[in-house]
Amino acid sequence: MNSRTSRPQDRPTSRPLLAERHVARLLLGTLIGRLPNGMVPVAILLLIAEQGGSLTTGGLLCALYGLASAIGQPALGRMVDRRGQTVVTTAAVLATTVCLLLLAYADADAAPGLAAGLVVLAGLSTPPLEANLRALWAAVLPDPERRRAALALDTGAQGLIYVAGPPLVATLSTLQGPGAAMTVTAVLGLLGASAVLSAAPSRQWHPEGGRAGGFLGPLQHGGLRLLFLAVCGVGFALGAMNVWAVAMAERHGMALLSGVIPAALSVGSLVGGVLYGRRNWPGPLHSQLRTWAVLFALAWAPLCVGPGPHSAIMLTALPGLFLTALITSAFLTVDALAPAGTRTEAYAWLIAAVGTGQAAGTALAGVLSAHPYAAALPAGGAFACLAVLLGARRRLAVPGPARRRGRHRRTSAHGARS
């Protein structure tokens, strides 16, 4: 189990969350280290376009990157649960940095196999910074309510990856070219990961002593399997939206739309995260999941009519308002239901589910980008998420009101549930 000692400063406090020791460094370092998640797909699309390739080719390469990252996260999360954060995450960040640096000089048209291989390796070795951070909050903030607020802030702030990342790529590509944008992306990822890995909580983090769930780990729990399937729909909506934004930019001759539309959703997510973290929400956790999923799905509906560029920017912010609450509720559910010794892997599976859905949404939207109904794809993913959660409401019920509030010991009995 992660080492925690009782200290006077661990008692509940009213001071700002970012003033707590290590919180600002871990949050900022993780955000910078994860910037490649928001920058690489856009950089790939622009790199392929500069080389004369099609949007379909770029979309497929982005889908490969997202799918490889989704596959790699649970495997790396399991390794972290067994060996700790430092060795596993350091090796991963070095591997992905090298691949992205090489990708900046690869010609996808002349050597498609090389470009695809680098994209896949970069995705597989994407460092599990987000899952690591979720696992660190219990050691940094022992008070359950502070942890819940940190998780909401953490989840909402992840949107900054898409606020800063895509516009930064678009700007760098305009000034220096997509290759330079990819190089900067790799360097930023390395710097952010270094800030987190050198922090005391990460260096001192130790795996839990026991492990439940057998070979399947958190997938042994039937409710968690359905939850992971549901959030694939969230990822699908996000992936389809990214490609739709690029198509909108090409259609209207406004290059910055490819970054501004995703950024609008992320601004909504950040605002929603701040509002969500300011209060405790009533009702059991599985009911909250369904409520946020309903609002998230309905918020995509106005985009189905194919709005103009300025309307699209404003309307895309609406689903962002509910995205943070939905994902935070999903993480809290994972924290309550995951078998002992599988916490990082369980978080990674949730992240991977979003990434898998995002890869599927990116690929399908790339193929259908010329069709007018491509604007309805994000809503389709969001409603698919809602449908799965409605069907899984009993399996996602968390027994006992205390389990909603934070980190808990678990027994292997959870793993037997299916």
Side-chain angles (χ1 to χ4, degrees):
M1 177 174 287
N2 299 359
S3 58
R4 292 186 295 169
T5 57
S6 179
R7 298 171 296 180
Q9 62 266 34
D10 289 340
R11 299 190 188 102
T13 176
S14 59
R15 64 179 175 177
L17 190 62
L18 291 176
E20 296 280 3
R21 191 181 182 191
H22 302 302
V23 169
R25 177 176 178 174
L26 291 174
L27 185 59
L28 182 61
T30 300
L31 287 173
I32 295 174
R34 293 190 62 240
L35 274 174
N37 293 30
M39 296 174 70
V40 169
V42 179
I44 288 175
L45 290 170
L46 296 176
L47 197 61
I48 296 302
E50 184 189 53
Q51 295 170 357
S54 67
L55 186 59
T56 299
T57 300
L60 290 174
L61 283 177
C62 290
L64 274 178
Y65 175 77
L67 184 59
S69 179
I71 293 172
Q73 289 297 291
L76 291 171
R78 177 169 293 197
M79 292 172 68
V80 168
D81 278 328
R82 294 179 176 180
R83 300 180 180 274
Q85 294 191 0
T86 304
V87 174
V88 175
T89 310
T90 298
V93 73
L94 289 175
T96 197
T97 299
V98 170
C99 290
L100 292 179
L101 289 173
L102 293 175
L103 187 59
Y105 300 96
D107 189 333
D109 187 47
L114 174 62
L118 290 172
V119 165
V120 169
L121 289 175
L124 287 173
S125 59
T126 298
L129 294 174
E130 187 178 358
N132 286 358
L133 181 60
R134 302 296 197 270
L136 290 176
W137 285 135
V140 176
L141 298 167
D143 176 57
E145 291 305 319
R146 301 290 278 176
R147 288 203 301 273
R148 189 189 68 84
L151 183 60
L153 176 62
D154 173 10
T155 303
Q158 299 302 322
L160 291 174
I161 295 169
Y162 302 96
V163 171
L168 180 58
V169 169
T171 302
L172 288 170
S173 296
T174 301
L175 297 176
Q176 300 293 331
M182 187 69 79
T183 300
V184 172
T185 298
V187 173
L188 286 174
L190 179 61
L191 292 176
S194 299
V196 174
L197 292 171
S198 60
S202 181
R203 288 186 286 105
Q204 297 170 3
W205 190 90
H206 299 292
E208 294 182 343
R211 178 181 173 86
F215 175 77
L216 292 178
L219 295 181
Q220 184 73 22
H221 193 292
L224 289 180
R225 292 198 299 270
L226 290 172
L227 177 62
F228 299 151
L229 178 62
V231 297
C232 282
V234 177
F236 185 96
L238 300 179
M241 181 268 300
N242 283 333
V243 177
W244 175 68
V246 174
M248 285 279 289
E250 291 186 351
R251 188 178 308 123
H252 295 279
M254 301 172 64
L256 286 179
L257 278 179
S258 62
V260 173
I261 289 178
L265 182 133
S266 300
V267 169
S269 176
L270 181 59
V271 172
V274 172
L275 296 176
Y276 174 83
R278 285 182 176 272
R279 58 165 294 183
N280 292 322
W281 297 90
L285 194 52
H286 60 280
S287 296
Q288 294 182 34
L289 263 175
R290 293 197 302 274
T291 299
W292 298 124
V294 167
L295 294 172
F296 181 68
L298 292 176
W300 283 108
L303 286 172
C304 295
V305 300
H310 297 97
S311 298
I313 294 171
M314 293 184 290
L315 290 174
T316 307
L318 292 178
L321 291 174
F322 310 108
L323 175 61
T324 296
L326 176 58
I327 295 298
T328 300
S329 298
F331 271 112
L332 290 172
T333 303
V334 167
D335 184 67
L337 298 181
T342 67
R343 182 172 293 108
T344 308
E345 182 185 350
Y347 293 150
W349 272 113
L350 184 64
I351 297 163
V354 175
T356 301
Q358 194 164 1
T362 299
L364 186 58
V367 172
L368 300 178
S369 59
H371 295 273
Y373 51 80
L377 289 177
F383 277 101
C385 169
L386 174 60
V388 175
L389 289 178
L390 289 175
R393 59 186 181 277
R394 291 185 178 179
R395 293 189 177 188
L396 290 175
V398 179
R403 289 186 145 264
R404 295 179 52 223
R405 300 186 56 184
R407 190 169 182 264
H408 311 279
R409 292 181 178 270
R410 306 170 185 85
T411 65
S412 59
H414 294 303
R417 219 165 147 192
S418 60

